[in-house]
Amino acid sequence: MAGQGDLFAMMMPDPTPAPVTVVAEAEDVAEAEEDAMATVQTTPHDYRLITELSDVQALVTELMRYDEICFDTETTGFDHFTNRIVGMSFAVEPHKAWYISFTPENTPAFAEAVRPIFENERITKIAQNIKFDMLVLARLGIEVRGRKFDTMIIHYLLDAESRHNMDFLAERYLCYSPIRI
């Protein structure tokens, strides 16, 4: 019956031996790729935790010297209307970053201290999903001014079919496995 399929052919045993897959090799490859990834443990870095207003103010003075900054906000959830800010991170050069820890008590003062960075039109702001961060900052009374770049949107435009989360981007483009939150 040339040209027609056999309805019951899939129930017959295949006379061709199935290819043998060596699982250990695939696991070894995955482990080797993972081992090749840089991590916080294998990469020299200078990450600083900021919990005092005077340190926030000093950081703002430092960041105002740069033409562009990367930033991220951390909140208690994904609803910018009801969740509160718990932290904000900044980076301006490789392997150096600051994390400001926000509490309900220090949020008004810390928000006021970082305002000049975000409202300075000279400084370009770079973030992953910047719209969310801008909404979080708007709840604090801060308007984000100046040029803005969203790494998630940029990656979508470059490769719409891939994932666009920060962990994926770090692993794919930087060979860096970030700390999972």
Side-chain angles (χ1 to χ4, degrees):
M1 295 185 161
Q4 258 186 307
D6 183 347
L7 181 61
F8 300 101
M10 65 181 167
M11 297 179 156
M12 300 298 293
D14 186 359
T16 310
V20 176
T21 303
V22 179
V23 176
E25 281 186 26
E27 289 173 358
D28 290 342
V29 169
E31 285 178 20
E33 287 176 356
E34 194 173 295
D35 289 343
M37 292 271 179
T39 67
V40 71
Q41 289 83 15
T42 63
T43 305
H45 60 276
D46 181 9
Y47 297 159
R48 299 186 183 188
L49 173 63
I50 296 180
T51 59
E52 300 297 326
L53 180 59
S54 60
D55 294 332
V56 175
Q57 293 164 334
L59 173 60
V60 169
T61 300
E62 170 74 11
L63 294 176
M64 293 295 278
R65 298 177 333 136
Y66 292 88
D67 293 328
E68 59 185 28
I69 61 165
C70 297
F71 79 98
D72 188 28
T73 59
E74 297 299 330
T75 60
T76 55
F78 296 112
D79 183 353
H80 61 274
F81 292 111
T82 59
N83 298 133
R84 70 174 185 82
I85 189 167
V86 295
M88 187 179 295
S89 58
F90 293 95
V92 292
E93 58 188 74
H95 314 298
K96 184 174 183 177
W98 299 267
Y99 181 82
I100 302 172
S101 181
F102 280 71
T103 65
E105 296 77 27
N106 72 21
T107 294
F110 282 19
E112 196 56 38
V114 298
R115 177 187 306 281
I117 297 167
F118 293 106
E119 294 187 351
N120 186 319
E121 293 189 18
R122 179 189 58 79
I123 301 172
T124 299
K125 287 70 173 187
I126 303 165
Q128 173 82 357
N129 192 11
I130 199 168
K131 181 180 177 182
F132 179 83
D133 296 317
M134 290 174 63
L135 291 168
V136 169
L137 292 168
R139 281 198 63 221
L140 298 173
I142 298 172
E143 180 183 352
V144 180
R145 297 182 186 148
R147 293 177 59 191
K148 301 162 196 74
F149 289 98
D150 188 322
T151 56
M152 188 169 67
I153 292 174
I154 292 168
H155 187 255
Y156 177 82
L157 294 172
L158 294 173
D159 186 1
E161 301 303 317
S162 290
R163 294 176 299 172
H164 310 291
N165 66 63
M166 188 58 71
D167 290 351
F168 176 79
L169 297 179
E171 290 173 358
R172 180 169 181 186
Y173 295 106
L174 304 175
C175 292
Y176 186 85
S177 182
I179 298 169
R180 307 274 184 226
I181 300 176

